[in-house]
Amino acid sequence: MKRSEINAILREGDEFFKSSMWHLPEWAYWSLDEWKQYSHQCSAVFAHSLGWDITDFGSGDYLKRGLFLFTLRNGVNGQPGKLYAEKIMIVREEQETPFHYHKLKQEDIINRSGGNLLFKLCHTSDGTAMDEERPVEILIDDRSRTVQPGETLRLKPGQSICLEPGVYHRFYGETGAGTVLVGEVSLVNDDAADNYFYEPLGRFPEIEEDEEPLYLLSSDYSRFLGV
């Protein structure tokens, strides 16, 4: 992805957050000079990969297959401290987050506001294949429900789904219903070691630096700050 494209996505996404009355930590808007000035205070931000996160999953087409995230809090698996994580995300109409599952993370995904969020679910049978026969037991708003593999689920604003480890899930915004503000509350999030995609995909984009970063992404910290 080009940095100019990422900057445009950040501007539009931030306006959507603000229009939804969702506010971010002040460091979300720091300049590079401010990051350098205060980086000694931000070891937890760096260690837990907090902050902006834009991905097109290596598709080259962010609007078709992509996701906008901001990680607000997180821990590290196997270490003392926080055992939980929280994200806020933006999902556009027909913008897909492709099938993936987690071995460790259990998560609640919440439709905070906006349009409808559509899901498809399937168990994994051997760590890679999809079990297209076994029904999936889930909780929607803490009410139990049984769904068939590949069945489309609709989460309206205010609704949530609890996903256990080992369940493939794919989600996208419903056509004609509008952009969705999505929350995630989970066990510790580890994008590097606990994301298992059905297709081989890139989680973090390679960035072509055609202009200066508007805001640093969580994946930028090592490059620009040396942390």
Side-chain angles (χ1 to χ4, degrees), residues 150-170:
E151 178 182 344
T152 300
L153 294 172
R154 177 182 288 103
L155 290 188
K156 298 178 181 179
Q159 290 189 300
S160 66
I161 185 171
C162 181
L163 298 172
E164 295 186 356
V167 175
Y168 272 116
H169 47 288
R170 169 181 179 260

Side-chain angles (χ1 to χ4, degrees), residues 152-214:
T152 300
L153 294 172
R154 177 182 288 103
L155 290 188
K156 298 178 181 179
Q159 290 189 300
S160 66
I161 185 171
C162 181
L163 298 172
E164 295 186 356
V167 175
Y168 272 116
H169 47 288
R170 169 181 179 260
F171 57 87
Y172 51 97
E174 184 173 14
T175 305
T179 300
V180 193
L181 183 70
V182 180
E184 178 183 309
V185 177
S186 71
L187 297 178
V188 166
N189 179 81
D190 186 347
D191 283 317
D194 194 32
N195 275 332
Y196 298 87
F197 287 93
Y198 183 67
E199 307 169 50
L201 297 171
R203 173 58 180 84
F204 298 101
E206 294 185 9
I207 300 177
E208 179 184 338
E209 301 291 352
D210 61 333
E211 65 182 41
E212 293 297 313
L214 176 65

Side-chain angles (χ1 to χ4, degrees), residues 1-177:
M1 300 180 71
K2 291 185 176 182
R3 182 67 71 172
S4 56
E5 178 188 5
I6 290 172
N7 287 346
I9 292 168
L10 285 169
R11 290 187 184 94
E12 186 174 354
D14 187 46
E15 286 301 314
F16 184 74
F17 281 155
K18 290 174 179 175
S19 69
S20 302
M21 300 301 291
W22 192 276
H23 302 284
L24 300 175
E26 63 177 11
W27 52 261
Y29 305 103
W30 280 354
S31 66
L32 182 56
D33 286 342
E34 287 173 309
W35 274 111
K36 291 177 178 178
Q37 180 180 356
Y38 297 114
S39 61
H40 65 284
Q41 301 175 349
C42 298
S43 58
V45 173
F46 305 141
H48 301 157
S49 299
L50 306 185
W52 303 100
D53 183 359
I54 308 296
T55 182
D56 65 356
F57 300 106
S59 69
D61 189 346
Y62 169 79
L63 292 178
K64 181 177 180 180
R65 178 175 271 190
L67 188 60
F68 185 115
L69 313 92
F70 192 100
T71 302
L72 293 153
R73 58 203 93 247
N74 197 14
V76 177
N77 281 320
Q79 294 188 13
K82 293 180 181 178
L83 305 178
Y84 55 88
E86 181 186 9
K87 297 179 181 180
I88 189 71
M89 304 180 285
I90 298 173
V91 180
R92 304 187 190 208
E93 294 180 14
E94 301 183 17
Q95 184 183 41
E96 176 199 24
T97 291
F99 273 117
H100 66 288
Y101 74 94
H102 314 287
K103 289 185 178 180
L104 300 177
K105 185 174 75 169
Q106 181 165 326
E107 58 188 329
D108 280 15
I109 298 180
I110 310 111
N111 185 336
R112 294 291 189 189
S113 66
N116 298 324
L117 190 63
L118 302 184
F119 276 86
K120 292 183 183 291
L121 309 176
C122 189
H123 282 292
T124 178
S125 60
D126 61 4
T128 55
M130 290 187 179
D131 186 340
E132 298 183 8
E133 301 295 330
R134 182 158 56 113
V136 183
E137 305 289 337
I138 57 167
L139 294 175
I140 294 182
D141 296 337
D142 284 322
R143 297 173 60 188
S144 59
R145 181 167 171 183
T146 301
V147 298
Q148 299 302 313
E151 178 182 344
T152 300
L153 294 172
R154 177 182 288 103
L155 290 188
K156 298 178 181 179
Q159 290 189 300
S160 66
I161 185 171
C162 181
L163 298 172
E164 295 186 356
V167 175
Y168 272 116
H169 47 288
R170 169 181 179 260
F171 57 87
Y172 51 97
E174 184 173 14
T175 305

